[in-house]
């Protein structure tokens, strides 16, 4: 079994199921996750594979997402049942495994964790989680510029600030917040403070990185 499916096969499959703008985003995540992985000494091929497949189930209908999660035996809470779109990350991992033969657990976890994150997730998962927000097509606001800078200086700071970025949006738009997003944020904040040297070649302290 190969590490990853043929890229051309994945792109052909995606082109039939997601709009062109989403393909642009997916390619941006693929590239950014790979770049971050290389920067932090991780497996670039795995990060790129997870980035390419992360939104495979993004446009699946809510009922299908629920059915896939139930069949897989995933733990569902009331928020996930009421808002099945949050399950597209888990469903994407199922597609990667069943449709494309991906068996590498680290790749599958990176796909599954890209939306809500997960405390103690691998550094590879962190790269895809962060890349989903900072990839180039997301825009060029001052907030994103600061987030991108932090993400290249400390991977855990990138996860923490990506979580903060998402939480701010969810609060401003009065959307529901899944508890895992908060747990991921708190874990990443703790890890950033405990691991200030992770990918930090600038000599800056965490306080300077995140000020």
């Amino acid at each position: 079994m190969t590490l990853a499916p043929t890229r051309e096969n994945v792109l052909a499959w995606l082109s039939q199921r997601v709009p062109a703008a989403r393909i642009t985003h997916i390619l941006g995540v693929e590239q950014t996750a790979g770049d971050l992985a290389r920067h932090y000494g991780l497996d670039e091929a795995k990060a790129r594979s997870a980035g390419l497949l992360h939104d495979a189930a993004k446009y699946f209908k809510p009922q299908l997402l629920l059915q896939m999660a139930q069949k897989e035996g995933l733990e569902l809470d009331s928020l996930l049942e009421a808002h099945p779109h949050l399950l597209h990350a888990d469903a994407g991992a199922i597609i990667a495994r069943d449709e494309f033969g991906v068996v590498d657990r680290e790749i599958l976890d990176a796909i599954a964790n890209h939306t809500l994150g997960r405390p103690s997730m691998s550094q590879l998962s962190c790269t895809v989680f962060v890349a989903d927000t900072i990839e180039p097509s997301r825009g060029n606001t001052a907030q994103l510029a600061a987030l991108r800078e932090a993400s290249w200086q400390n991977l855990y700071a990138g996860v923490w600030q990506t979580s903060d970025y998402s939480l701010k949006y969810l609060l401003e738009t009065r959307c529901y917040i899944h508890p895992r997003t908060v747990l991921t944020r708190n874990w990443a904040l703790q890890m950033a403070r405990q691991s200030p040297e992770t990918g930090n070649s600038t000599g800056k302290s965490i306080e300077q990185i995140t000020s």
Side-chain angles (χ1 to χ4, degrees), residues 34-97:
D35 291 346
L36 283 168
R38 184 172 63 253
H39 178 69
Y40 289 112
L42 308 173
D43 192 311
E44 182 179 355
K46 287 186 180 185
R48 290 177 66 88
S49 181
L52 185 64
L53 285 158
H54 83 283
D55 268 351
K58 179 71 174 180
Y59 293 91
F60 282 17
K61 293 183 178 180
Q63 191 57 41
L64 176 58
L65 292 171
L66 276 175
Q67 289 172 356
M68 292 176 69
Q70 290 164 349
K71 183 178 179 181
E72 190 70 12
L74 299 179
E75 183 177 349
L76 299 177
D77 54 37
S78 59
L79 188 54
L80 292 174
E81 290 175 344
H83 302 277
H85 66 277
L86 293 173
L87 292 167
H88 84 270
D90 294 288
I94 296 170
I95 291 296
R97 183 193 66 198

Side-chain angles (χ1 to χ4, degrees), residues 133-171:
T133 296
I134 70 169
E135 61 89 10
S137 74
R138 290 297 199 184
N140 293 296
T141 66
Q143 278 187 313
L144 279 172
L147 179 52
R148 286 170 179 139
E149 181 180 5
S151 298
W152 286 101
Q153 292 173 343
N154 183 287
L155 183 56
Y156 296 117
V159 173
W160 150 33
Q161 291 199 44
T162 295
S163 300
D164 279 0
Y165 183 84
S166 297
L167 287 167
K168 181 180 179 182
Y169 172 80
L170 293 170
L171 288 166

